[in-house]
Amino acid sequence: MRVRRSSLYLCKQFGATSTGITISQVQVEMANAAAARERADARFCLMDAEAMTFEEPFDVVWSVESISHYQDREKFFASAARLLNPGGIIALTDWFKNSNLSQAELRKYIHPIEQGMFVRLEEIGHYEEFLRSNEWKSCGAKS
């Protein structure tokens, strides 16, 4: 649970407040227990990242190695944009593929990852397109 460790670190080291989501109830329970043990200002809840709903907006929406698993990535970016305060930031780490790979490179490097992780890797430019979409611009955030 990289998000849990990262969230707790940010809370402890920088006084951040963190809200994390996962589709695993077990992970929610483990993360909330860890936050309580660490006395970190973090909470974790059960939620699908493609349909995030919160009452208050965030300064940062941060995704750690999960977008490649989503069914509708564009929907995630639209949902994330709606949750940002004006001038907010989306930060992400994920698996990508280079746009100029040969068929041999795709077979050797990309196909094993996609098959082993049950994902379809995107080129980073596709994520940039999602970030620059009308929904993203309409929230007042910077891409």
Side-chain angles (χ1 to χ4, degrees):
M1 287 194 49
R2 289 179 180 105
V3 172
R4 176 187 73 198
R5 286 189 298 263
S6 301
S7 296
L8 298 182
Y9 176 82
L10 292 171
C11 290
K12 299 285 283 182
Q13 294 298 316
F14 300 104
T17 300
S18 178
T19 302
I21 65 170
T22 179
I23 58 170
S24 167
Q25 184 61 43
V26 171
Q27 288 182 351
V28 167
E29 293 166 10
M30 291 171 54
N32 281 322
R37 263 192 323 275
E38 296 288 327
R39 294 189 178 104
D41 191 3
R43 72 178 178 101
F44 300 87
C45 53
L46 191 65
M47 188 177 297
D48 184 338
E50 294 176 52
M52 295 182 286
T53 56
F54 289 98
E55 296 296 318
E56 299 293 322
F58 296 90
D59 294 326
V60 177
V61 173
W62 181 10
S63 175
V64 179
E65 296 180 359
S66 60
I67 299 171
S68 57
H69 295 278
Y70 300 162
Q71 297 296 311
D72 188 341
R73 294 168 187 154
E74 191 166 8
K75 187 175 177 183
F76 161 75
F77 282 105
S79 181
R82 283 190 297 275
L83 290 174
L84 283 176
N85 280 317
I89 296 169
I90 184 166
L92 64 92
T93 61
D94 207 56
W95 292 79
F96 302 100
K97 65 181 174 186
N98 198 330
S99 60
N100 59 356
L101 296 174
S102 69
Q103 285 301 314
E105 290 170 320
L106 286 170
R107 280 191 303 276
K108 183 175 181 180
Y109 300 114
I110 302 302
H111 294 162
I113 292 169
E114 290 179 333
Q115 291 168 358
M117 292 175 41
F118 303 107
V119 299
R120 181 184 47 82
L121 298 182
E122 292 276 358
E123 295 174 14
I124 196 165
H126 291 148
Y127 287 10
E128 185 177 357
E129 290 171 17
F130 297 153
L131 289 170
R132 295 186 185 282
S133 70
N134 288 330
E135 288 109 5
W136 187 261
K137 291 176 185 175
S138 70
C139 75
K142 297 176 185 175
S143 58

